[in-house]
Amino acid sequence: MAAQEARQARQGPQARQTPQGRQTPQGRQTPQGRRDVSAWHPAVPGVVEVFHAHFTEYAYPMHVHDAWTLLIVDDGAVRYDLDRHEHGTPHDTVSLLPPHVPHNGSPVTPDGFRKRVLYLDSSRLGDDLIGPAVDAPDLRDPLLRLRVGQLHTALTRPGDELEAASRLTLVGERLRTHLRPGQQASRGPRRDPVLARRLRELLDERVVEGLSLEEAARLVQAHPAHLVRAFSSAYGIAPHQYLNARRVDQARRLLLADRGPADVAALTGFHDQAHLTRHFKKLVGVTPGRYRNSSRM
């Protein structure tokens, strides 16, 4: 995905209660300033909540979370205190706030800020990393910033859970590298063609029903991050891209057999017709409907 896509603020599928207990539709100006929010719990292990917000005048009081807070700011900036030290979040920074440590937050300018937040459980980052995160919560890392943006994009799209899980495991790996600099991961791709082939065989067996990254890692007895890197190194594409390509191939055959796009989506493992259309157009260049009609010309 392009870096531009990673920087786009994407709205999630449902509204959330504002801090005052009222639902605020997108774009409405409240007496306290602008408060546009959306939040949801995705079907991706390790992600407790996704939260997107645009605030102008609202300031968070001191509070704590029981999960890790992974924050990027798309517009504006946030000033916050963590463990009695002041910090800030310019738009090129990734901020990681540890669980159980009090912090607050307020806009730096009258225009407020637009942010995207992931709340992650301890299966992604352990309690042993809380101390290093308190000492250095703001990470200036363009690749990490890009990957977090790509992860948010994947999380807004139902049916792309394998992509989101793959991106999440790489984000977690890079965060641990920052927090434990003495345990640097190798910079190049980790080649393991045997492991890559085992995952490809699993994906081939489950084109329609799909396979979660967590289950795949358990079946082949490999760490998820190593599994994603090994597959990508061996085949030049990520596991989710391979699975989507296999599903699109099956969809093409069914469309040429005059099956309707909605039926084809269900028969080939896509979440719905919109999910099929997005990936079909990306790989074939036209929508499923146009492709189906072309066989009659």
Side-chain angles (χ1 to χ4, degrees):
M1 300 178 188
Q4 180 180 0
E5 178 187 29
R7 291 193 294 268
Q8 290 177 341
R10 303 295 299 270
Q11 293 298 318
Q14 66 185 53
R16 177 182 178 163
Q17 294 290 330
T18 68
Q20 275 63 42
R22 304 188 311 275
Q23 282 198 336
T24 305
Q26 182 177 354
R28 176 180 295 177
Q29 299 292 331
T30 71
Q32 295 80 20
R34 184 169 188 153
R35 302 186 189 183
D36 300 337
V37 298
S38 58
W40 66 101
H41 173 61
V44 176
V47 181
V48 177
E49 181 185 335
V50 185
F51 181 59
H52 294 179
H54 181 188
F55 291 145
T56 52
E57 299 176 9
Y58 180 68
Y60 290 97
M62 293 299 292
H63 63 286
V64 299
H65 298 289
D66 60 0
W68 289 86
T69 303
L70 184 62
L71 164 71
I72 57 175
V73 175
D74 295 300
D75 291 307
V78 179
R79 189 211 67 80
Y80 69 94
D81 297 309
L82 178 73
D83 194 40
R84 302 183 182 89
H85 292 87
E86 184 174 316
H87 299 275
T89 60
H91 70 274
D92 59 347
T93 298
V94 175
S95 296
L96 181 67
L97 311 183
H100 313 301
V101 179
H103 60 276
N104 57 12
S106 60
V108 174
T109 68
D111 293 330
F113 58 85
R114 191 158 48 90
K115 68 176 183 176
R116 290 179 284 173
V117 185
L118 295 177
Y119 295 101
L120 307 176
D121 67 26
S122 59
S123 69
R124 304 296 109 177
L125 298 167
D127 288 349
D128 61 307
L129 299 175
I130 290 178
V134 170
D135 294 338
D138 299 318
L139 308 172
R140 290 196 170 222
D141 179 344
L143 180 58
L144 177 62
R145 178 64 174 78
L146 171 65
R147 287 180 175 174
V148 173
Q150 291 172 328
L151 172 55
H152 273 280
T153 299
L155 287 167
T156 63
R157 301 187 305 225
D160 285 345
E161 287 78 17
L162 178 58
E163 176 184 351
S166 298
R167 294 194 183 282
L168 175 61
T169 196
L170 296 180
V171 165
E173 182 182 62
R174 196 160 183 89
L175 287 170
R176 284 187 290 273
T177 298
H178 276 285
L179 298 175
R180 294 293 189 204
Q183 302 175 7
Q184 291 281 347
S186 62
R187 293 188 178 276
R190 301 179 185 179
R191 299 188 180 280
D192 193 336
V194 174
L195 181 65
R197 185 175 65 251
R198 291 173 65 191
L199 177 55
R200 187 183 68 180
E201 291 169 350
L202 280 173
L203 294 172
D204 287 341
E205 292 170 2
R206 304 191 186 188
V207 171
V208 176
E209 57 267 43
L211 182 71
S212 71
L213 182 61
E214 194 173 55
E215 183 182 5
R218 178 179 57 81
L219 290 173
V220 301
Q221 298 182 338
H223 189 278
H226 178 49
L227 188 56
V228 172
R229 290 187 183 280
F231 190 95
S232 300
S233 175
Y235 299 115
I237 58 175
H240 69 271
Q241 292 174 308
Y242 179 84
L243 181 62
N244 286 331
R246 288 297 316 277
R247 287 173 169 172
V248 167
D249 279 346
Q250 290 193 6
R252 293 173 74 153
R253 299 185 186 101
L254 291 171
L255 290 165
L256 292 179
D258 208 26
R259 300 296 294 264
D263 290 340
V264 169
L267 292 170
T268 53
F270 287 101
H271 179 76
D272 53 21
Q273 185 174 339
H275 190 215
L276 164 66
T277 298
R278 181 168 63 251
H279 289 290
F280 194 94
K281 189 173 182 180
K282 183 186 298 183
L283 292 177
V284 183
V286 296
T287 65
R290 284 191 62 186
Y291 184 84
R292 177 192 182 206
N293 292 338
S294 71
S295 67
R296 302 171 182 174
M297 295 174 63

